[in-house]
């Protein structure tokens, strides 16, 4: 699970939902000092892990939209032939204004930053903010087009229309008529996704590294291909735990074929660098971890990835920390397929010491949570909790904190690790007072002063005691229960436990579309609840009035975030597009429901004459009104999760997540105000590492759209053109599954 920094909000243009503005914030990740402190061997280890992460991150293009790989290939060719300054001269000569060329640079930076043309945070499409004809002139007259006219024209013809299209179904990621996704073929519906999940559960196969493709045979019957990500194809003669799974199945009268080889040439490059990293591992656990990751990506085995994750959990306090694979399921419309990500980071010792104190207090703090002991894990498995400075984070976006692995069985029995990404928080939290929306004037200075420190506390509690708490009641394949059926009582009903997880079922597979957001909400609520504990605040160095200010700003930040969350709600289909923001809206609803003036949201008119709003939190009622309300809500969340009560969980969660225009808040109207004043999420420029002889150099770039583009232009110096060829070939091989976004494909290849 990942914790994302809160979205900032401000700015013009009501139609800005589908463009990235020219003045978008761009920040550089600073890890120079942490990298300097690494030994030569640690630098080599970090370098090869970074290479593996960057190569694997390219798979996200194929996991996002049909056109994303072509857009990436086209931009990469343009900027390899001419850097942003050189291309600018050509663009101005072609009749573009400075503003239009900057809009193109921002679009290109956005593609690289999100690994596709949909925002990683909110899953909304973004399009170039300039006329299509002008962009076409720049592309077809570019140096890249002069060098390879047929290739560049072909790429433009393949993706140009889709790059600009805002046809309703293409505006957001989603399944069936609700959006576009490449985790499923274009003709798949939510019913297909549910059927496929039941099939996977029946075979004890994980969905994390799969995609689902549906064909229709001559008799009109559907045929499903479950394709695993792996280097090896289905025809491989090498026997492994996976080869016996690669076959045809009949399931509930439907034909399923399990194949593998998705993203094969990309994963081949990942594996090559993981092999090289092994030579510089600090210990045998790291070597065994990497060996299992290699096995996982080679064979398509999530079980091997779990084994690697076991070694990773056991590798306590490494100097260079990393994780890689198909990890977070936020962007799968069904909620069970993992997006590829990889990160490499170095320990920040000062903040890590505070987190270690929090870990030492964890068993005591867990007893403070508002559910009976039987609903807590039998034994708290003391995890690693470190603050890291990120060197590399590949995928569609960079979170502020992570609690992994996401495998329920490992989390319950082996434990997990918590990571706070310190240099990400540092850039995510630079806030200008004049851009602070929806707060009272007398709250703004306090908010700016304490937002960063309060979020350090929230990240710590959210990751360690939010995601790290709670027990799932499970009946294993032999029929044995991990709880006492006779004595454990449901505190909500006063009765014995009536439901639980059966063998093969997981939190994600059972709660599917609400699983991610529900769990983020539970973790955020734990953070708010436990930040009231003086012992917690002392660990982070806050006492007295300062401690009270940290509490106030943490709660105020959550309330404001709940309002900002409305940007990520789509009224046309009554759905949320971002798990974290939905979670924050739900918490806002819970605190509003508590009444007694604890929280108010009031529409106003801004100094510019346009609609505005103010959120208020009565700091004197946080403990007397807010805490009991949160306590009741948290207990219900945990009990429903522990017992696998999907119907009860959905009723509770979807009830709070509903967005209506009912007074007094009138949230649908407030959503228009939020959109009017929103500010786009910052783009983050990451460094590169380069091997020069036996030494690893750190290459840094300026904090601008051009700097971000340059970082990607220099990311794959050895094989850039080859990678673009691979991406377009892989995309073309499956293009028939999305031939016309408004029609379902049929027939065999």
């Amino acid at each position: 699970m990942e914790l994302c920094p809160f979205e900032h909000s401000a700015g013009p243009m009501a139609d800005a939902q589908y463009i990235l503005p020219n003045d978008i914030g761009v920040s550089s990740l600073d890890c120079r000092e942490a990298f300097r402190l690494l030994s030569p061997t640690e630098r080599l280890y970090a370098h090869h892990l970074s290479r593996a992460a960057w190569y694997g991150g390219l798979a996200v293009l194929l996991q996002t939209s049909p056109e994303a790989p072509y857009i990436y290939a086209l931009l990469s060719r343009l900027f390899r032939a001419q850097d942003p300054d050189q291309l600018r001269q050509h663009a101005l000569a072609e009749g573009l204004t400075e503003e239009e060329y900057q809009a193109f640079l921002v679009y290109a930076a956005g593609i690289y930053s999100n690994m596709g043309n949909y925002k990683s945070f909110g899953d909304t499409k973004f399009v170039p903010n300039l006329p299509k004809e002008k962009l076409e002139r720049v592309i077809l007259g570019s140096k890249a087009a002069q060098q390879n006219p047929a290739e560049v024209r072909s790429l433009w013809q393949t993706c140009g229309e889709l790059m600009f299209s805002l046809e309703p179904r293409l505006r957001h990621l989603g399944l069936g008529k609700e959006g576009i996704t490449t985790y499923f073929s274009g003709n798949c519906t939510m019913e297909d996704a549910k059927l496929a999940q039941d099939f996977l559960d029946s075979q004890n196969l994980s969905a994390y590294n799969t995609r689902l493709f549906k064909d229709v045979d001559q008799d009109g019957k559907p045929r499903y291909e479950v394709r695993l990500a792996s280097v090896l194809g289905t025809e491989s003669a090498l026997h492994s735990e996976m080869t016996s799974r690669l076959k045809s199945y009949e399931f509930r009268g439907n034909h399923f074929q399990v194949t593998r080889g998705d993203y094969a040439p990309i994963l081949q490059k990942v594996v090559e660098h993981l092999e090289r990293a092994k030579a510089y591992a600090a210990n045998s656990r790291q070597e065994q971890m990497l060996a299992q990751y290699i096995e996982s990506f080679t064979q398509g085995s999530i079980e091997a990835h779990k084994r690697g994750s076991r070694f990773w959990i056991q590798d306590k306090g490494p100097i260079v920390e990393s994780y890689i694979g198909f990890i977070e399921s936020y962007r799968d419309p069904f909620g069970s397929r993992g997006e590829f990500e990889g990160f490499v980071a170095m320990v920040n010792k000062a903040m890590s010491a505070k987190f270690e104190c929090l870990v030492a207090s964890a068993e005591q703090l867990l007893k403070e949570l508002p559910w009976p002991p039987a609903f807590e894990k039998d034994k708290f498995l003391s995890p690693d909790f470190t603050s890291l400075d990120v060197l590399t984070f590949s995928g569609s976006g960079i979170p502020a904190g992570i609690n992994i692995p996401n495998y329920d069985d490992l989390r319950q029995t082996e434990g997990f690790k918590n990571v706070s990404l310190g240099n990400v928080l540092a850039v995510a939290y630079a806030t200008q007072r004049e851009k602070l929306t929806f707060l009272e004037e007398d709250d703004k200075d306090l908010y700016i002063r304490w937002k960063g420190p309060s979020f350090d506390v929230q990240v710590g509690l959210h990751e360690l005691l939010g995601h790290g708490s709670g027990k799932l009641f499970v009946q294993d394949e032999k029929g044995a229960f991990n709880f006492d059926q006779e004595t454990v009582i449901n505190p909500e009903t006063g009765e014995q436990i009536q439901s639980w997880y059966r063998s093969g079922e997981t939190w994600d597979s059972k709660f599917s579309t609400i699983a991610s957001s529900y769990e983020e909400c539970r973790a955020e609520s734990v953070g708010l609840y436990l930040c009231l504990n003086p012992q917690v605040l002392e660990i982070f160095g806050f006492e007295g009035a300062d401690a009270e200010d940290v509490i106030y700003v943490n709660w105020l930040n959550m309330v404001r975030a709940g309002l900002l969350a409305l940007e990520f709600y789509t009224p046309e289909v009554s759905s949320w597009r971002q798990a974290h923001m939905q979670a924050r809206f739900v918490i806002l609803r819970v605190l509003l429901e508590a009444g007694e003036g604890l929280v108010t949201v009031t529409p106003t008119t801004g100094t510019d004459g346009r609609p505005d709003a103010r959120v208020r939190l009565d700091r004197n009622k946080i403990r007397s009104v807010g805490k009991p309300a949160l306590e009741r809500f948290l207990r219900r969340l945990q009990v429903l999760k522990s017992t696998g009560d999907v119907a009860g969980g959905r009723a509770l969660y979807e009830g709070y997540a509903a967005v209506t225009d009912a007074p007094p808040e009138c949230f649908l109207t407030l959503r228009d105000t939020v959109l009017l004043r929103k500010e786009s999420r910052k783009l983050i420029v990451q460094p590169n590492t380069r091997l020069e002889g036996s030494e690893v150099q750190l290459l840094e770039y300026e904090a601008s759209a051009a700097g971000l583009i340059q970082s990607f232009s220099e990311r794959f110096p050895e094989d850039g053109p080859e990678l673009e060829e691979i991406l377009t070939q892989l995309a073309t091989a499956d293009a028939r599954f999305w031939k016309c976004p408004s029609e379902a494909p049929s027939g065999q290849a």
Side-chain angles (χ1 to χ4, degrees):
M1 294 91 174
E2 295 177 349
L3 181 61
C4 293
F6 291 94
E7 192 78 355
H8 303 309
S9 186
M13 297 182 65
D15 61 346
Q17 203 173 350
Y18 304 109
I19 60 156
L20 302 179
N22 278 13
D23 63 350
I24 193 167
V26 186
S27 296
S28 289
L29 269 194
D30 180 10
C31 62
R32 189 181 315 155
E33 181 60 15
F35 186 79
R36 187 184 68 78
L37 294 172
L38 296 182
S39 71
T41 302
E42 289 161 351
R43 288 184 186 188
L44 285 160
Y45 183 64
H47 167 72
H48 288 296
L49 289 175
S50 290
R51 302 309 298 149
W54 286 125
Y55 280 119
L58 296 172
V60 176
L61 294 160
L62 296 156
Q63 294 181 301
T64 301
S65 70
E67 67 275 14
Y70 301 101
I71 297 173
Y72 173 91
L74 179 61
L75 294 174
S76 297
R77 283 174 191 241
L78 280 181
F79 291 113
R80 190 165 43 250
Q82 292 168 284
D83 69 28
D85 279 345
Q86 293 165 335
L87 194 62
R88 177 176 168 273
Q89 301 307 319
H90 161 61
L92 298 182
E94 288 286 358
L96 269 71
T97 64
E98 289 279 6
E99 289 74 23
E100 287 167 338
Y101 182 62
Q102 177 63 16
F104 172 56
L105 289 186
V106 164
Y107 175 77
I111 294 291
Y112 288 133
S113 194
N114 292 279
M115 268 292 104
N117 55 334
Y118 287 75
K119 295 177 190 173
S120 66
F121 204 78
D123 297 341
T124 306
K125 187 172 187 178
F126 58 96
V127 300
N129 189 23
L130 70 158
K132 179 166 173 275
E133 304 71 36
K134 286 193 171 185
L135 182 55
E136 182 173 38
R137 286 210 302 275
V138 172
I139 288 169
L140 298 184
S142 68
K143 193 172 174 184
Q146 290 164 21
Q147 292 167 347
N148 295 289
E151 276 181 38
V152 171
R153 183 173 289 277
S154 171
L155 284 169
W156 173 251
Q157 286 172 343
T158 304
C159 68
E161 287 295 328
L162 283 168
M163 190 188 281
F164 281 84
S165 174
L166 284 173
E167 181 189 324
R169 187 187 167 192
L170 303 183
R171 291 175 188 171
H172 307 290
L173 296 180
L175 192 52
K177 294 175 182 173
E178 293 195 4
I180 194 76
T181 177
T182 46
Y183 284 115
F184 299 86
S185 56
N187 56 350
C188 282
T189 63
M190 195 57 82
E191 286 64 42
D192 293 314
K194 286 173 183 159
L195 176 69
Q197 187 63 57
D198 289 346
F199 164 71
L200 289 166
D201 287 347
S202 76
Q203 298 300 317
N204 217 4
L205 274 171
S206 170
Y208 270 120
N209 64 342
T210 70
R211 291 198 289 167
L212 184 71
F213 299 89
K214 181 169 87 168
D215 260 319
V216 181
D217 65 18
Q218 283 80 355
D219 302 327
K221 284 193 70 177
R223 299 172 67 85
Y224 298 96
E225 178 196 358
V226 173
R227 191 188 302 167
L228 311 179
S230 67
V231 175
L232 294 178
T234 304
E235 70 293 337
S236 171
L238 285 173
H239 184 75
S240 75
E241 64 185 318
M242 293 310 298
T243 46
S244 62
R245 321 295 289 274
L246 306 172
K247 60 183 182 184
S248 296
Y249 299 80
E250 289 298 318
F251 180 74
R252 295 183 189 163
N254 293 280
H255 180 84
F256 278 84
Q257 181 87 29
V258 177
T259 67
R260 69 179 175 186
D262 216 0
Y263 326 118
I266 292 172
L267 291 176
Q268 176 64 48
K269 291 180 179 285
V270 174
V271 164
E272 285 168 11
H273 279 280
L274 292 179
E275 283 283 8
R276 290 180 204 173
K278 261 168 71 180
Y280 305 107
N283 54 56
S284 63
R285 285 202 175 104
Q286 288 181 358
E287 288 173 24
Q288 290 170 293
M289 168 189 88
L290 293 174
Q292 291 297 332
Y293 292 163
I294 289 164
E295 172 80 359
S296 172
F297 300 142
T298 302
Q299 301 287 352
S301 166
I302 289 295
E303 287 305 313
H305 197 269
K306 283 186 183 178
R307 291 193 293 272
S309 298
R310 267 195 192 90
F311 289 120
W312 179 72
I313 294 166
Q314 293 161 11
D315 183 30
K316 304 279 189 188
I319 302 296
V320 176
E321 184 61 282
S322 69
Y323 198 59
I324 191 168
F326 296 89
I327 312 300
E328 300 293 350
S329 57
Y330 302 124
R331 298 183 94 193
D332 169 11
F334 188 71
S336 59
R337 284 153 193 79
E339 181 175 270
F340 194 98
E341 70 178 44
F343 79 83
V344 185
M346 293 81 67
V347 173
N348 175 320
K349 289 181 178 168
M351 182 56 78
S352 295
K354 293 177 182 176
F355 288 143
E356 281 168 23
C357 290
L358 191 63
V359 171
S361 307
E363 284 195 79
Q364 200 54 44
L365 291 169
L366 283 171
K367 294 173 184 171
E368 305 283 321
L369 292 173
W371 47 79
F375 287 74
E376 195 46 71
K377 292 186 183 74
D378 301 337
K379 183 177 188 302
F380 180 70
L381 299 154
S382 189
D384 240 15
F385 197 165
T386 45
S387 177
L388 302 175
D389 285 341
V390 171
L391 170 65
T392 296
F393 206 114
S394 76
S396 65
I398 312 180
I402 318 173
N403 174 287
I404 38 182
N406 287 332
Y407 305 121
D408 292 331
D409 47 353
L410 287 193
R411 296 173 65 79
Q412 297 285 318
T413 58
E414 308 273 338
F416 50 88
K417 280 188 183 180
N418 292 281
V419 170
S420 173
L421 304 177
N423 58 342
V424 177
L425 283 169
V427 296
Y429 272 89
T431 304
Q432 296 167 282
R433 194 181 194 281
E434 62 272 18
K435 288 193 171 183
L436 257 186
T437 51
F438 308 130
L439 292 181
E440 296 285 5
E441 282 301 315
D442 54 5
D443 275 335
K444 287 184 178 179
D445 290 333
L446 199 67
Y447 185 86
I448 288 169
R449 166 74 184 86
W450 292 107
K451 187 170 78 157
S454 74
F455 201 57
D456 284 336
V457 175
Q458 180 69 10
V459 169
L461 295 171
H462 172 116
E463 300 295 352
L464 176 66
L465 297 160
H467 292 314
S469 64
K471 176 174 178 171
L472 302 184
F473 294 156
V474 178
Q475 182 183 26
D476 67 20
E477 66 278 5
K478 295 172 184 166
F481 291 89
N482 70 342
F483 65 99
D484 189 329
Q485 283 184 285
E486 299 299 318
T487 61
V488 177
I489 299 297
N490 182 327
E492 294 294 303
T493 64
E495 298 171 358
Q496 290 179 330
I497 304 304
Q498 305 290 325
S499 57
W500 49 82
Y501 297 79
R502 286 170 172 79
S503 177
E505 290 182 331
T506 66
W507 163 250
D508 277 339
S509 72
K510 211 161 165 61
F511 281 71
S512 66
T513 53
I514 66 164
S516 291
S517 184
Y518 188 112
E519 175 58 13
E520 292 306 324
C521 186
R522 197 182 68 88
E524 291 282 43
S525 299
V526 166
L528 285 188
Y529 187 75
L530 289 179
C531 83
L532 298 170
N533 187 308
Q535 181 188 353
V536 168
L537 296 166
E538 279 175 33
I539 288 169
F540 286 88
F542 306 121
E543 296 178 352
D546 285 355
E548 291 303 309
D549 285 345
V550 166
I551 291 168
Y552 176 63
V553 169
N554 197 31
W555 279 60
L556 181 64
N557 201 19
M558 189 66 70
V559 168
R560 177 175 178 261
L563 179 62
L564 297 184
L566 288 166
E567 177 193 340
F568 300 95
Y569 179 76
T570 308
E572 295 80 10
V573 290
S574 302
S575 72
W576 285 90
R577 305 188 312 275
Q578 216 291 325
H580 297 84
M581 299 311 275
Q582 180 183 8
R584 290 159 186 168
F585 176 77
V586 166
I587 293 171
L588 170 62
R589 288 282 313 276
V590 169
L591 297 179
L592 281 165
E593 190 182 78
E596 298 188 43
L598 171 69
V599 173
T600 55
V601 182
T602 313
T604 61
T605 302
T607 53
D608 55 4
R610 300 187 304 169
D612 206 341
R614 290 289 174 269
V615 292
R616 295 183 184 86
L617 169 70
D618 187 335
R619 67 188 297 162
N620 297 316
K621 293 181 179 172
I622 290 174
R623 284 186 176 84
S624 60
V625 180
K627 186 181 180 185
L630 207 54
E631 192 169 292
R632 289 190 296 274
F633 177 62
L634 247 181
R635 182 166 54 245
R636 292 178 72 192
L637 284 180
Q638 183 55 51
V639 167
L640 293 163
K641 181 181 179 182
S642 288
T643 57
D645 182 351
V646 180
R650 280 194 178 278
L652 173 71
Y653 200 68
E654 290 173 349
Y656 278 115
V659 179
T660 71
D661 231 6
E665 285 81 26
C666 306
F667 283 120
L668 282 175
T669 302
L670 278 173
R671 178 179 176 273
D672 294 335
T673 304
V674 170
L675 287 174
L676 189 69
R677 299 190 174 276
K678 81 184 185 75
E679 182 186 22
S680 288
R681 193 173 176 79
K682 281 182 181 174
L683 304 179
I684 294 181
V685 184
Q686 298 187 55
N688 285 321
T689 55
R690 180 174 296 166
L691 194 54
E692 295 181 2
S694 61
E695 289 193 1
V696 180
Q697 303 298 324
L698 185 71
L699 307 179
E700 296 175 287
Y701 303 89
E702 70 171 32
S704 67
L708 203 157
I709 291 165
Q710 189 190 350
S711 75
F712 266 89
S713 293
E714 296 181 9
R715 194 140 281 156
F716 303 106
E718 309 90 3
D719 50 8
E722 179 199 345
L723 290 169
E724 290 140 32
E725 187 71 21
I726 285 169
L727 285 165
T728 54
Q729 284 176 356
L730 291 174
T732 302
D734 289 323
R736 67 188 183 87
F737 288 111
W738 300 279
K739 263 291 177 269
C740 179
S742 54
E743 294 173 20
S746 63
Q748 298 295 309

